[in-house]
Amino acid sequence: MPDSLFSKGLRLLTDPEATRYVVPLLVLAEAALCGLIILKVPYTEIDWSTYMIHIQKYWSGERVYPKITGPTGPCVYPATYLYIYSALHAVTDGGKDIVTGQIIFAILYLTTLALVMQCYRNVNAPPWLLIPLVLSKRLHSIFMLRLFNDCWATLFLWTSIYLLQRRKWEAGALIWGVGLGVKMVLLLAAPALAFILIQGAGFFVALFGGASVIMLQIITAIPFLDPKEGDAAAYFHQAFDFGRQFLYKWTVNWRFVAEETFLSKGFAVGLLVLHISVLLVFIQTRWQTPSGSPGLQTFLRRFVIQEKGAVNEDVAAKVTPTFVMDAMLGSMAVGLLCARSLHYQFYAYLGWATPYLLWRSGGGPAWVLLNWAAQEYSWLVFPSTEFSSMLVVFELAIQVLSGLIAPPVDHMRPPTHVQRQVRFQAR
């Protein structure tokens, strides 16, 4: 009898088929925990009031983006952010009804968590890998105690991953574009998305997907592009500012670097060079492997000229759910590692990706949980210290390396429901 119970418990933790039972239990437990957090843990004001002032200025008719400012700074996010928080402004009595806002963000948290778990299911992850997804104190804080706009961008990122896993190429690209319209940090996933779309759907579909994302950004920005009321150049510079100067006191990842170095142009250029270099390594060794191309030039020639922009079914079949997760999360990890500065809310993009990236390198429960716990600790230290920031960078480097050494995905069996969809599309 004990052996039978032990074997059943072991199966519940290790058999990917058991995730269908584990996921609803974890989500229900999280729903209860979210309720307790809202009831028992004091709300922390950081950016919410500034968001609400941004909305008030937008509603009052201000269309020059640099003039939309608040106590903690100007509006530096694309326009979709304004539309989402306009809705929140309306249902929370101008931001004064914090509890209603927290309830909405709890629903947002649970929805995103369910999507993340479904993405893990799509790659046959073992049930034990889902456990750290519900243990992060920092993630609960970002969603329910801070109400950051990064939470919405995270929802769209994982929705995009889920749709791409299900081979909904155009929809996946468009939803990613919606998230980009909330916060430009999602640009970090753009290189991986391009290789997924080109190999999975063909160059023409990838080109259409990219064009649709650009058009979406223009359409959402229309109120600020009118030369009579707005300022198009000011809008795009403010919403997509690649040269933004960050404050040293808020950095989570580079506290161990001297402030003079942190603020220097050389440091920024060095990180950019590192970012591009690591991306090229991923492109060469990981992201173009479904095509079998020996180099980037050959890859582009094949898909643009030889394939005439159409999809290659043999190559597309290798763009599996695992390949999608590897590419999208790996690209985000590379970008975060090389970022000029990370703030605490950026953990929304990392917290749910970390267990997967560590597991894909071949790590077992001890390896995954130890590194996850070290990372969680480093993001809980406030203000950041030299040690905590070094740990942040170290753990990000481990995850990037994990993405590089992860075993090939060709042999990995997609979940049954994904197999059925691939066969249906092949017909």
Side-chain angles (χ1 to χ4, degrees), residues 6-19 22 124-131 359 365:
F6 176 79
S7 63
K8 289 180 179 179
L10 188 62
R11 177 180 177 275
L12 196 63
L13 290 174
T14 59
D15 185 354
E17 293 295 328
T19 56
V22 174
N124 279 326
W128 65 263
L129 194 62
L130 305 180
I131 295 175
W359 171 70

Side-chain angles (χ1 to χ4, degrees), residues 355-388:
Y356 174 80
L357 292 170
L358 294 170
W359 171 70
R360 278 289 286 129
S361 68
W367 165 257
V368 172
L369 293 175
L370 178 63
N371 282 282
W372 172 86
Q375 176 176 268
E376 179 75 11
Y377 162 78
S378 68
W379 284 80
L380 288 174
V381 175
F382 178 81
S384 62
T385 63
E386 289 188 10
F387 175 75
S388 70

Side-chain angles (χ1 to χ4, degrees), residues 30 33-34 37-38 41-48 101-102 105-106 109 134-151 344-348 352 376 379-380 382:
E30 278 288 84
L33 179 59
C34 290
I37 290 172
I38 293 171
V41 183
Y43 159 78
T44 305
E45 171 57 45
I46 297 181
D47 282 339
W48 174 258
Q102 289 181 290
F105 273 78
Y109 173 88
V134 302
L135 296 179
S136 174
K137 180 180 179 181
R138 176 57 70 189
L139 278 176
H140 287 97
S141 173
I142 289 169
F143 275 80
M144 278 154 290
L145 300 179
R146 271 69 173 178
L147 315 182
F148 284 125
N149 63 336
D150 302 81
C151 305
Y344 287 97
Q345 59 265 41
F346 278 56
Y347 197 63
W352 283 320
E376 179 75 11
W379 284 80
L380 288 174
F382 178 81

Side-chain angles (χ1 to χ4, degrees), residues 77-78 80-81 84 149-150 152-158 160 172-187 213 216-217 240 349:
Y77 318 118
T80 304
Y81 145 78
I84 291 174
N149 63 336
D150 302 81
W152 297 94
T154 301
L155 169 68
F156 294 120
L157 172 65
W158 282 99
S160 173
L174 191 62
I175 290 297
W176 173 81
V178 175
L180 180 63
V182 178
K183 201 157 187 180
M184 66 172 284
V185 70
L186 290 200
L187 274 175
V213 169
L216 178 65
Q217 304 312 315
F240 299 95
Y349 310 105

